[in-house]
Amino acid sequence: MTEEPNLEYIKKLAGDDIAFENQFIEIIKTEFPDEVIDYNSAIENKQLLVAAEIVHKLKHKLNILSMEKSYEIALAYEDQLREDSMKLDKEFRTILDIISNYLTTI
């Protein structure tokens, strides 16, 4: 996967309001790691419906980070989890790793 997260959407949304932009970024940096922990726990405990809800939350962050292809994968994965399937787990975890690494750089 070559798609990389970026702040284009956040910058467009914030306009010239740097304080708003920074606040938005801090919210993502705070919420994202906790949601990843919750996702991992739900998968480990085979709570696929819970995992689907977490993926639902995470997919919006993918959209905010301008990751359209990853958003589509998360959308499909959310549906799969609701159908008791984890076919896209490895691909989704790769996306989560990419974002986790990115968030340490901003």
Side-chain angles (χ1 to χ4, degrees):
M1 174 179 293
T2 58
E3 187 175 45
E4 293 293 326
N6 63 69
L7 300 177
E8 288 177 28
Y9 177 80
I10 294 172
K11 288 183 180 295
K12 184 178 178 182
L13 189 63
D16 293 332
D17 190 343
I18 301 300
F20 176 79
E21 179 180 326
N22 290 335
Q23 183 180 17
F24 208 108
I25 292 167
E26 282 307 310
I27 290 169
I28 291 172
K29 288 175 81 170
T30 301
E31 290 180 356
F32 186 83
D34 291 338
E35 290 170 348
V36 171
I37 290 168
D38 292 345
Y39 168 77
N40 288 329
S41 177
I43 292 298
E44 183 178 310
N45 292 309
K46 305 212 183 320
Q47 298 173 317
L48 300 189
L49 292 177
V50 172
E53 291 302 318
I54 297 163
V55 170
H56 179 81
K57 289 183 208 174
L58 285 165
K59 77 179 179 195
H60 295 295
K61 288 177 178 63
L62 303 178
N63 207 23
I64 289 167
L65 293 171
S66 303
M67 298 181 72
E68 294 173 14
K69 292 176 188 172
S70 297
Y71 176 85
E72 293 299 323
I73 291 167
L75 190 63
Y77 186 44
E78 179 185 354
D79 289 341
Q80 282 183 359
L81 287 167
R82 292 184 193 285
E83 295 171 5
D84 211 26
S85 172
M86 294 177 47
K87 290 180 186 173
L88 289 171
D89 178 65
K90 184 177 179 181
E91 197 165 356
F92 187 70
R93 287 179 187 272
T94 299
I95 294 165
L96 297 180
D97 288 344
I98 289 168
I99 294 171
S100 293
N101 291 335
Y102 176 72
L103 292 177
T104 65
T105 68
I106 58 173

